[in-house]
Amino acid sequence: MVCAPTLKLKLQLLCGEEIAMGPGKADLLDAIAAHGSISAAARAMDMSYRRAWLLVDAMNRCWVSPLVETSPGRAKSGGARLTPAGVQALADYRSLQAAAADAAGGPLLTALLANLADEPRPRAASK
């Protein structure tokens, strides 16, 4: 099956060696905002709670202010929510993604895709 050539952009903001924000972390922030807890967000994303918690911990350590705030408890009294800094960081990241996607189109992409093969040629036999 021959697939049409496409461009995939993946924006990652680094804080030292740590990824402070990327597509997966932004999706996790969206899920926390929608579900009100890290565990519910993790379930919605088919991710372990531990993995989600580690991602939240990394984000909270990388930004000047934490992006996610948690409160202990069960059901209605506990959970997690985005802080104002988290809401802003998520909105800014999504805007950056949209701007990058818009900038990646047009004549430069058309020129690149015009010279891109539909499929890679087979590897040359090694000697």
Side-chain angles (χ1 to χ4, degrees):
M1 181 174 146
V2 176
C3 297
T6 58
L7 175 66
K8 177 182 177 182
L9 298 175
K10 180 179 176 181
L11 299 176
Q12 295 179 326
L13 300 174
L14 300 178
C15 174
E17 294 295 314
E18 189 81 50
I19 298 170
M21 182 69 69
K25 287 180 177 169
D27 291 345
L28 179 58
L29 291 178
D30 279 330
I32 290 169
H35 297 283
S37 78
I38 295 171
S39 60
R43 281 192 300 275
M45 295 181 69
D46 197 27
M47 175 187 299
S48 73
Y49 171 79
R50 176 170 168 70
R51 177 74 179 137
W53 188 90
L54 289 171
L55 293 173
V56 167
D57 180 62
M59 285 186 282
N60 281 347
R61 289 183 295 105
C62 285
W63 296 85
V64 173
S65 298
L67 303 188
V68 176
E69 176 176 85
T70 61
S71 56
R74 294 248 185 238
K76 295 177 183 170
S77 64
R81 67 176 192 86
L82 302 189
T83 63
V87 171
Q88 188 64 56
L90 180 58
D92 290 344
Y93 180 79
R94 293 299 191 202
S95 293
L96 181 61
Q97 281 183 310
D102 288 345
L108 292 176
L109 179 59
T110 301
L112 283 170
L113 294 179
N115 293 299
L116 188 66
D118 290 334
E119 293 284 329
R121 289 186 290 283
R123 293 180 190 263
S126 58
K127 297 183 181 197

